[in-house]
Amino acid sequence: MPDKEAIEKVPPSTVNQNNFFGNSLSNNFFGPLLNPAQLAGQQPALPVFSSDNFVNGNLPNFDAQYQVNGPVPKTGTLFITHKIFLNFPANMSQAERTTFETDFKKSINDVWSNKHLLTLNNPGFSPYQCKVDVTALVVTDKKDAHTVIDVIKPAEKEKRFRPRVSGINKEADSETTHTGKLDFRDPSEGTEQTVFKPVLLQDVGPFGFDSAKLNSDCNDDIQTIKDFINTIPKKPDPNDPVFSLHYVGHASSEGNEGYNRKLSQKRIDAVDKELVNLSGLSFTIGDAAGEDFATADEKSRKVTVGVFTNDPEKTKQNTAAHEFGHMIGLGDEYEEPRPGADIPDARKKYLGDKPTHYDAIETLVDKAAADETLIQNSGNIMSRGNTVTRGHYAFFVGAIEIMTRNELPALPPTEKMHWKVK
């Protein structure tokens, strides 16, 4: 860990306390008394942090330490430490165990560290910024671990084990909040994934109750899609395909599940009828989600439309780094409308749905960051790739907010956080 640097504190300004004039802040003859900075034509120094080190070991999924270095342009560091306990099977050699541990720690640090700056820029306080250093620390006592990992080494002819991480209730004498099962190759050998991200994701709706008829709201949204498609460069032959469409139909939670699934398909058909004859269309696919994860809110009565202009791309995801996201509280962001039987109680995930961490990101970062994490087969670390977005730092910025907020000025009613993710 780097050496701590002392904060350069500016001594508080003082009023003129000459006994001749008295200690009053004003004097009828001489007027208001000024402090030295004002006499020099300068603004009084802004407050700075009182400590060069903030520590919080009581966060649920990791420990945090903010090593202050500032104000700006200096840069401090937020150290995030997630403690793991490794259960190795008998069929793994010592060399394989060492490789797993070394590569796991390297994967987490490489993929998750220093992707975004955390910044503090509030009126009435000195500006600060810090980078984020993320560490997976292997511990020898299971009760000290945030996550207990069972490492799986399948038999030679068995397929690679699909990893999983699950949250558990924390016991009084334990730090453990998650358990996981990982294939012994997960930190070292990436898994091949297909990235197929839409260039436009647009909701059409809300539809009327128990209706698949396009209303004015639906027509406005469809026009937005048409206008965007018209900006896509066409090939010399206008009939050559340049885009494809993916529909997901939804219904609100009232009524019968089977009926609502059919209703969501009717809504898909109504939208498709308006778009299917556009020149350059390659193909369309649809998922009738019905009332899955819906509420009675009218916003659930919609069709999500994804516009795609590129071919699917192959990539290799660092699986250990993806699973680490679950260990710190993030959910999946990839599409999985029909989960396999190999993951019990797996949650269906449709294009454009909100992931389980959407609301937390919207609160701790902002809506734009939350929207980047909507369910889609993107290159995000919690989807199919290795990109850590601003939203994936939500719990880190939440940690530094908790540690420092007692020294910061009150926020205006429109603001939720002092610290931002840049």
Side-chain angles (χ1 to χ4, degrees), residues 144-340:
D144 292 336
H146 295 106
T147 300
V148 175
I149 300 174
D150 292 330
V151 183
I152 309 296
K153 184 181 180 182
E156 186 175 347
K157 293 185 178 180
E158 291 181 347
K159 67 178 182 178
R160 185 164 173 167
F161 181 81
R162 181 176 176 178
R164 65 199 67 169
V165 171
S166 304
I168 63 172
N169 292 326
K170 183 178 177 181
E171 297 180 0
D173 61 343
S174 172
E175 294 296 316
T176 305
T177 57
H178 291 82
T179 59
K181 293 184 178 181
L182 272 66
D183 189 283
F184 78 113
R185 292 157 290 195
D186 284 343
S188 311
E189 302 175 18
T191 52
E192 189 169 279
Q193 301 284 356
T194 300
V195 173
F196 195 33
K197 181 180 179 179
V199 291
L200 176 69
L201 202 55
Q202 176 69 46
D203 285 340
V204 175
F207 285 78
F209 178 74
D210 193 22
S211 173
K213 182 179 179 180
L214 299 178
N215 55 33
S216 59
D217 290 332
C218 296
N219 286 325
D220 288 344
D221 294 329
I222 289 172
Q223 188 60 50
T224 297
I225 297 170
K226 289 180 177 179
D227 291 343
F228 179 84
I229 290 173
N230 286 335
T231 67
I232 299 173
K234 301 297 189 292
K235 294 183 178 180
D237 184 343
N239 293 317
D240 283 348
V242 292
F243 72 96
S244 59
L245 297 173
H246 184 175
Y247 305 115
V248 181
H250 295 272
S252 53
S253 58
E254 306 99 326
N256 177 272
E257 179 180 354
Y259 179 86
N260 281 335
R261 198 167 301 280
K262 292 178 181 178
L263 177 60
S264 67
Q265 181 60 55
K266 290 179 181 179
R267 288 170 175 168
I268 290 175
D269 295 340
V271 175
D272 182 59
K273 186 177 180 181
E274 297 297 313
L275 300 175
V276 70
N277 292 320
L278 296 177
S279 63
L281 175 62
S282 175
F283 63 89
T284 65
I285 57 175
D287 289 306
E291 62 183 54
D292 288 347
F293 312 111
T295 67
D297 193 313
E298 66 172 8
K299 293 180 181 178
S300 297
R301 307 171 199 148
K302 65 179 181 178
V303 173
T304 298
V305 181
V307 181
F308 297 79
T309 59
N310 56 320
D311 293 326
E313 298 178 2
K314 296 293 183 181
T315 188
K316 282 198 172 183
Q317 183 180 56
N318 188 308
T319 309
H322 170 89
E323 296 301 321
F324 178 79
H326 297 318
M327 298 176 196
I328 61 172
L330 299 172
D332 287 315
E333 296 170 9
Y334 54 80
E335 299 171 47
E336 197 170 34
R338 287 166 285 278

